[in-house]
Amino acid sequence: MWLISNSSLSLPESRGLGNVSASAYLRLYATSAIVWFHAGATAPLRGAIGGSGLVVFAYLSFLHAGRRYGHRAAVMRLTQRLLIPWAAWWLIYAAVDFRLARGVPRELTAPTSVAEMLAWPAIHLWYLPFVFVSSLGLLGMSRIIAPMHGRTKVALALVAGLGLLLAMIALPEALPFPLGQFVPALPTIGLGLVYGYCLRIGDRRRRLGYFAAIAALVTVACIPIWLWGSNTDSHTIAIAYTGGSLLMILCTLSLPRHRLSIHLSALSMGIYLAHPLAWLTLRKFIVGFTDLPYWIIALATLVLAALMTWVIRQIRYLRAIV
C-alpha cells in the first residue's frame, strides 16, 4: 500500500516557513500521523490520518525547491540531508533483517531489482531517494524556469501538480514497487513548489487566500479520484491530498509559539526514520505489545523513536543521519 512506504523527508528549516510555530505543528502532526498509521490495522481513520501526514511531509520537502542555490551547493545539500541518512538507515535495517532472519532474508532469495533494493530492508526508506531524484530534476530545470515571471512559475507548478493529481484517476488497480509509492506522491512536487512561491507573498490575507484557493482546487480535483479511481488506494489518495492541503493553511496563521513543540519538531526526521526500529524493539521486549490498544502502540513507538533520535543527535559522528 502507498502509505506503508511512507515518509519523509528533506524537511525545510523552520525559519523558511515564515511561521516557526506552523512549521513545528505541521512536522509534529505529520510524524505522529505516520506512526499512527503503523500502529495497527484497526486504528481509526488510519488511512486518512496517515495519508494526510505523508502529504504534509512531501509538501514541506518541496517547499523550498524553487529557490536559487548554486548547483554544486544544492547537490551537496541534498546528499547530506537525504542520501547520507538513507544509506545509514539502509545499513541499520539491513542488519536488523539479517538478524531477524538468522541468515539471508527471504526477500533476497529471489531475483531483486535495483529499485527494490533501495528500500528492501525497510520500505519507508523509498521516500528519501524519491525526494533526492525529484529535487535533482527540479535543479536541472532551474535554468529554464529561473528567467520566468513569478506568476508564470506558480501557474506552471499548479497546472503540473493538479494535472498529476487528476491523472491518479487512471491508475491501474495495483502498481508494482516502487511505482506504487512514487506515482501517488508525484503531485506533491508541483503543489509543494506552489506553496513555496505563495509563502513569499508579504500580505498575510493574500497569502491566506492563496492557500485556501489551493486547498479548494485540490479538493475539487480529488472528487473524481474518489468517485472513479480504480486503484486500491484511490480513496486514501483523495482524502490524503484534501486533508494535507487543508492543513497547509496553518502556514498562514498566527499560532502560539511553544519552545517544546519547536524542539520536538526538530526530531521529526529522525523519528520518521527510526520508528520501525522502535516498534520492533518494543515488540521484542514487551510481551503482547502488538495486542495492546492502537493508541498505546502508537504513543510508545513515537516516544521511543524520539528518544532514539535525541540520543543519536548527541553523538557527534552520528547526528548527520537524523
Side-chain angles (χ1 to χ4, degrees), residues 251-318:
C251 292
T252 69
L253 305 179
S254 296
L255 302 174
R257 182 169 179 168
H258 298 293
R259 181 175 296 179
L260 178 61
S261 65
I262 293 173
H263 285 307
L264 288 175
S265 71
L267 305 177
S268 57
M269 182 178 184
I271 293 173
Y272 168 75
L273 291 169
H275 80 272
L277 182 59
W279 184 87
L280 288 171
T281 303
L282 291 167
R283 188 186 68 173
K284 178 176 178 60
F285 292 103
I286 299 179
V287 177
F289 175 71
T290 54
D291 297 324
L292 294 172
Y294 46 80
W295 66 270
I296 295 179
I297 296 174
L299 181 60
T301 303
L302 190 65
V303 170
L304 182 57
L307 181 60
M308 287 177 170
T309 302
W310 182 83
V311 170
I312 291 172
R313 285 169 66 94
Q314 307 312 305
I315 303 173
R316 179 180 177 183
Y317 297 105
L318 292 181

Side-chain angles (χ1 to χ4, degrees), residues 168-172 223-235:
M168 297 300 112
I169 302 172
L171 287 183
I223 293 174
I225 299 173
W226 176 279
L227 294 176
W228 300 300
S230 57
N231 186 269
T232 54
D233 291 329
S234 291
H235 286 183

Side-chain angles (χ1 to χ4, degrees), residues 145 148-162 190 194 197:
I145 298 173
M148 295 181 181
H149 189 276
R151 292 182 180 178
T152 304
K153 294 178 183 178
V154 172
L156 287 174
L158 184 61
V159 169
L162 292 176
V194 174
Y197 290 133

Side-chain angles (χ1 to χ4, degrees), residues 125-211:
L125 296 178
W126 73 269
Y127 190 79
L128 280 74
F130 167 74
V131 176
F132 181 79
V133 172
S134 301
S135 298
L136 286 183
L138 291 172
L139 187 63
M141 296 170 58
S142 61
R143 292 182 180 178
I144 301 174
I145 298 173
M148 295 181 181
H149 189 276
R151 292 182 180 178
T152 304
K153 294 178 183 178
V154 172
L156 287 174
L158 184 61
V159 169
L162 292 176
L164 287 169
L165 184 57
L166 285 169
M168 297 300 112
I169 302 172
L171 287 183
E173 184 175 352
L175 286 170
F177 179 86
L179 294 180
Q181 289 70 38
F182 283 18
V183 174
L186 287 175
T188 62
I189 303 172
L191 294 173
L193 286 173
V194 174
Y195 283 122
Y197 290 133
C198 291
L199 275 176
R200 303 174 201 177
I201 297 173
D203 184 83
R204 178 170 291 177
R205 289 188 177 181
R206 284 184 60 208
R207 194 162 63 238
L208 173 60
Y210 279 115
F211 271 67

Side-chain angles (χ1 to χ4, degrees), residues 77-88:
R77 184 172 181 268
L78 289 170
T79 300
Q80 181 180 7
R81 300 194 67 184
L82 294 169
L83 287 193
I84 290 177
W86 168 80

Side-chain angles (χ1 to χ4, degrees), residues 16 30 36 53 55 69 96 113 140 143 148 174 182 202 215 236 242 255 266 303:
W36 178 265
V55 167
Y69 299 102
V96 171
S113 68
R143 292 182 180 178
M148 295 181 181
F182 283 18
T236 299
T242 300
L255 302 174
V303 170

